[in-house]
Amino acid sequence: MVAQSRQHWRQRRNGGPAATERAAMNTKDNPFGGMGSQYSTSVQYGNGQPRREPAPGPATGTPLMAEPFAVKDVSTKSFAADVIQESRRQPVLVDFWAPWCGPCKQLAPALEKAVQAAGGRVKLVKMNIDEHPAIAGQLGIQSIPAVIAFKDGQPVDGFMGAIPESQIRDFIDKVAGKGGGGQAQITEALAAATEAREAGDLQGAAQIYDAVLAQAPDNIDAIAGLADILFEAGDRAAAQEILARAPEDKKDAPALAAIRAKLALAEQAAALGDPGELERRLAADPNDHQARFDLAMIQNALGMRQEAADNLLAIVKADRTWKDDGARAQLLQFFEAWGLTDEVTLAARRKLSSLLFS
């Protein structure tokens, strides 16, 4: 099934079977499994020699960054997305500055040059503290220029003052690791894997993650991505094995914690019973409220929130008195766990109100 969907995607994306065959020929030597021509993100890494123009990088002597270097200005509103979330993919340096600050103007060119020379190992953003003072205040920044490095959603290091470019390079090496000539290519590969997953090509995404791990065994995004695919395929043991590869100092990374939570919920669901048997009981007797309630609990454990809510709502509609209004009570607990602003919570609340007050 995965192979068939992959072939269909490749043909649809690349213009039919003939184009697919040409793409396979052009990328057969790509160490990421020939995925480069299938998706909009171009992938080339390591010693692969695709039959096309070589990607920028150490082998060609050209910069790793394919686009002109640019520094993004962030605001208090965009900080969560541009810094916190982005730092889960790669380190982000935040340059806190102000237009009246002379040392800030001295630091900026050296900082931008050092980041550009890092070849994609880190990202650089700027925050004007005159226009957006809140974040700097929360971080306890009392003088500028100040550069704070974020990794995995947290501030991890920083410096103040207009330091020389050599010291900035040392700082980047400390935050992002030395060398890293293939980091830009790894970033592109991970983007291609994400696109493959969104297209339903789990096999292709797994191949990319596996190839990345062959070159960078401690890459958290690749570990989490591959473990998640294995979990979705029903191979929990293999998913656990992949998670165990994470370095000790990165085992608590949010991406890995999310997969462990899925595994824990799956075990909880297994302990609740066989959903197939519960569905058969309901088919035989739609008023088997206990079967419907247990099925809702399993669905919630598996992340099937909408289905879980619908089953509990069905019990409320059929019999409010069942187990002292137990279905409604359980639904309210789900709302609390899912969050008051969750889309399923909001929709189910409206349906519940309609049932209670109709």
Side-chain angles (χ1 to χ4, degrees), residues 5-61:
S5 64
R6 180 182 181 188
Q7 182 71 8
H8 172 73
W9 168 253
R10 291 177 66 177
Q11 292 181 3
R12 179 171 64 83
R13 183 71 177 247
N14 294 329
T20 299
E21 183 177 354
R22 289 194 301 271
M25 292 176 63
N26 288 338
T27 59
K28 66 180 181 179
D29 296 322
N30 191 307
F32 283 111
M35 303 301 297
S37 65
Q38 296 178 44
Y39 305 100
S40 60
T41 302
S42 175
V43 177
Q44 181 180 357
Y45 184 77
N47 297 321
Q49 298 296 329
R51 296 178 186 176
R52 53 189 171 91
E53 288 299 315
T60 62

Side-chain angles (χ1 to χ4, degrees), residues 60-74:
T60 62
T62 55
L64 285 167
M65 303 188 70
E67 299 179 357
F69 181 74
V71 181
K72 187 172 187 177
D73 290 311
V74 297

Side-chain angles (χ1 to χ4, degrees), residues 181-196:
Q183 183 58 49
Q185 290 88 346
I186 288 178
T187 300
E188 290 178 0
L190 293 172
T194 298
E195 190 174 355

